[in-house]
Each structure stands twice: as structure tokens, then as C-alpha cells.
Amino acid sequence: MVDFWSPKCEPCQALMPEVEALAAKYEGKAKFCKLDSAANKRLAISQKVLGLPTIAFYKGGEKVAEFSKDFTMEEVETKLKELLE
């Protein structure tokens, strides 16, 4: 799971504790990464990240799901559980 965020994105900052809690809950079961989109614009663009916050799931090197802007952490966790099955 990759959390695309930016230091200037208030929704990203508000979501960060929930993302960190999810990472702690699933530690050892899934890999969690954060990507500062402001500092890594080319990478964010190459991944077609059009808005923040964005959470993307990758499996086998391929993007398999993405949540952008208006989503809940419950939706994210449901997708994570589905991908871990």
C-alpha cells in the first residue's frame, strides 16, 4: 500500500494517523509506504496520481486498486483484507 501525500495537503495530514494505525495493525502482512508527492512529482505523475490524498495498492508490481480524495479508511481496510486473502 502506498500513501501518496504532501506536506501542504491538510486532508493528507489529517488522514496520516489513521494510515499509520492501519500499517501497525497489518505489520508483517502487507508493506506500507508513504510517498511525498510534492518531492516526487514525476513518480506520482507516472502512477497517474491526480489528486491528494491517494492510497494505492500494488500486487506483483501492478496497481490493483486506488482510493483518491473522498474515501474512508474503512473502505481502504476492506480492500486491504480482500487483497490479503
Side-chain angles (χ1 to χ4, degrees), residues 54-75:
T54 292
I55 292 180
F57 289 96
Y58 295 83
K59 196 167 189 174
E62 299 292 323
K63 188 187 293 186
V64 294
E66 179 178 294
F67 294 90
S68 188
K69 296 184 183 181
D70 296 319
F71 60 87
T72 66
M73 286 309 293
E74 289 80 18
E75 292 171 312

Side-chain angles (χ1 to χ4, degrees), residues 3 15 22-23 29-30 45 72 76 81:
D3 176 17
L15 196 63
L22 191 66
K29 296 179 183 173
I45 290 168
T72 66
V76 171
K81 286 178 184 177

Side-chain angles (χ1 to χ4, degrees), residues 17-83:
E18 292 181 69
V19 172
E20 290 171 353
L22 191 66
K25 183 175 179 179
Y26 289 91
E27 185 175 357
K29 296 179 183 173
K31 185 172 183 177
F32 292 82
C33 304
K34 291 182 180 186
L35 184 93
D36 180 345
S37 297
N40 298 283
K41 288 180 184 176
R42 287 186 184 190
L43 182 55
I45 290 168
S46 75
Q47 294 302 303
K48 298 181 174 80
V49 173
L50 303 175
L52 296 177
T54 292
I55 292 180
F57 289 96
Y58 295 83
K59 196 167 189 174
E62 299 292 323
K63 188 187 293 186
V64 294
E66 179 178 294
F67 294 90
S68 188
K69 296 184 183 181
D70 296 319
F71 60 87
T72 66
M73 286 309 293
E74 289 80 18
E75 292 171 312
V76 171
E77 185 171 10
T78 297
K79 178 54 80 175
L80 176 60
K81 286 178 184 177
E82 177 186 309
L83 292 170

Side-chain angles (χ1 to χ4, degrees), residues 5-17:
W5 67 286
S6 170
K8 294 181 181 180
C9 171
E10 289 182 27
C12 297
Q13 299 297 328
L15 196 63
M16 201 168 290

